[in-house]
Amino acid sequence: MAPDDAVVVVNGLNFEQRHGKERVRVARVWRAKGGRHFIVEWSVGISLLSDCVAAYVSDDNSDIVATDTMKNTVYAKAKECSDQTSVEDFAILLAKHFTSYYNQVTTAIVKIAEKSWERVSVNGQPHNHGFKLGSGKHTTEVISKKSGVLQVSSGIEGLSLLKTTQSGFERFHRDKYTALPETRERILATEVSASWRYSFESLYGIPKNQGYFTETYLDVKKVLVDTFFGPPKEGVYSPSVQYTLYEMAKNVLSRFQVISSVKLKMPNLHFLPVNISTKDNQSIVKFEDDVYLPTDEPHGSIEASLSRFTSKL
């Protein structure tokens, strides 16, 4: 659904337009006292809703904010961040800039994905300037309106999770096309995409403590992972991907009152039992919960959203 300020009437027709810049890649290094470095790598997408209809209908570009200007703004604002900054805070900074600096811009939508560069340890000691790439990307979407309304969402993409037991799939609908056997013992593997929306609706509602968004992101990620796996020794049984997805989303809402909604997408990445036999040898490979064929083509696709009654998804 388009934002309220996105649709105008032109020549008796509803007209909606926006323009922006995608995949603006920027890395920012902060050098702290004592020699320790910090780095982030972001891919930034910007979309502006603005009063530049004339560019479309009358060949007048005077109100267009050039997409190259948007790209340059990303680097300029990254330079201005003298202190270590979260991906959410940087997205808010950019979005507020576009709606306040340009009279014709009514809404700015900023999406950023952050690569998971993690500090390495050498001989048991954290390295001052060495990093390795971890699992998953930290994402955010910020929508800022000139009126002051602000929506902030965070998320994670590409979080790969797998457990070798405590998963099954039984008592599902069967018909003449069903060939899948029931099981109480299988590998459960997925690549989680999650997003969650914060309940505050203006800049003034954001907690002021430094590192708030990064800490919340790490805490939400921990709840998702812990719910998927269960206790370290016995684990927790998953009767379906759907059930586990719901438990993960429910636990996020239960743990974080500041989060109003959460959306999860969890493809079922299959590990198929391998049995190989011939007429002369019935047990070249006999499957005993040990040898699998990993495949993600095709794979099951499961997704759902969970929100509080007051939430606007």
Side-chain angles (χ1 to χ4, degrees):
M1 183 178 294
D4 295 337
D5 53 355
V7 181
V8 297
V9 177
V10 177
N11 298 325
L13 300 171
N14 288 332
F15 179 60
E16 178 187 350
Q17 55 79 25
R18 64 182 69 188
H19 73 291
K21 200 75 166 180
E22 295 292 333
R23 299 180 70 178
V24 181
R25 297 183 61 181
V26 56
R28 179 63 157 97
V29 174
W30 292 278
R31 292 168 167 81
K33 292 181 179 179
R36 177 157 290 192
H37 293 186
F38 300 86
I39 186 171
V40 292
E41 181 183 345
W42 294 323
S43 178
V44 181
I46 301 163
S47 184
L48 300 185
L49 281 63
S50 62
D51 184 13
C52 62
V53 176
Y56 294 86
V57 301
S58 61
D59 193 22
D60 178 359
N61 295 334
S62 58
D63 285 325
I64 289 182
V65 179
T67 65
D68 189 69
T69 301
M70 299 181 202
K71 177 202 69 177
N72 294 341
T73 302
V74 171
Y75 298 117
K77 292 300 177 182
K79 177 67 175 180
E80 290 177 13
C81 293
S82 56
D83 296 323
Q84 192 175 352
T85 304
S86 73
V87 65
E88 289 89 353
D89 286 320
F90 187 67
I92 292 170
L93 176 69
L94 280 176
K96 295 296 291 182
H97 166 80
F98 287 116
T99 54
S100 62
Y101 192 77
Y102 299 102
N103 291 331
Q104 66 271 39
V105 175
T106 57
T107 301
I109 303 169
V110 177
K111 298 181 181 181
I112 306 180
E114 176 179 323
K115 281 191 174 182
S116 181
W117 287 111
E118 301 173 349
R119 190 176 305 278
V120 300
S121 292
V122 177
N123 297 327
Q125 296 294 320
H127 201 284
N128 271 354
H129 53 265
F131 300 85
K132 63 182 177 65
L133 194 59
S135 172
K137 290 183 179 181
H138 182 174
T139 64
T140 190
E141 179 185 65
V142 170
I143 302 175
S144 175
K145 295 180 177 291
K146 193 177 288 293
S147 63
V149 173
L150 184 73
Q151 294 178 7
V152 180
S153 299
S154 297
I156 185 168
E157 293 180 357
L159 177 62
S160 297
L161 304 177
L162 179 151
K163 59 182 183 179
T164 55
T165 189
Q166 286 285 54
S167 172
F169 192 49
E170 302 175 283
R171 301 186 303 278
F172 49 87
H173 175 80
R174 305 194 73 90
D175 56 43
K176 65 181 181 179
Y177 302 108
T178 305
L180 183 69
E182 296 189 358
T183 182
R184 286 190 62 83
E185 180 63 41
R186 66 173 184 172
I187 288 178
L188 178 57
T190 188
E191 189 174 275
V192 179
S193 294
S195 62
W196 53 92
R197 178 176 292 182
Y198 292 94
S199 57
F200 43 75
E201 296 183 349
S202 72
L203 195 63
Y204 303 104
I206 301 175
K208 302 304 180 185
N209 51 306
Q210 188 176 13
Y212 170 78
F213 285 113
T214 299
E215 291 174 7
T216 304
Y217 167 79
L218 293 173
D219 288 343
V220 171
K221 182 179 178 181
K222 185 177 188 304
V223 169
L224 294 172
V225 171
D226 290 355
T227 305
F228 180 89
F229 290 114
K233 290 188 180 295
E234 64 272 21
V236 62
Y237 183 70
S238 170
S240 66
V241 179
Q242 286 86 344
Y243 181 90
T244 298
L245 181 154
Y246 179 80
E247 288 295 302
M248 292 164 70
K250 183 182 69 174
N251 286 347
V252 168
L253 289 185
S254 298
R255 170 69 173 78
F256 304 95
Q257 292 303 309
V258 72
I259 292 176
S260 60
S261 63
V262 58
K263 181 177 181 179
L264 288 172
K265 183 174 183 180
M266 292 172 52
N268 188 7
L269 306 179
H270 303 303
F271 281 69
L272 306 178
V274 173
N275 283 294
I276 302 175
S277 63
T278 66
K279 182 174 64 175
D280 299 324
N281 186 346
Q282 297 298 312
S283 58
I284 296 175
V285 176
K286 182 180 179 181
F287 179 71
E288 295 174 318
D289 297 317
D290 53 1
V291 180
Y292 301 84
L293 169 63
T295 180
D296 58 5
E297 294 182 358
H299 63 253
S301 179
I302 297 94
E303 57 184 288
S305 301
L306 200 61
S307 62
R308 307 185 197 280
F309 284 119
T310 56
S311 171
K312 297 178 182 180
L313 276 174

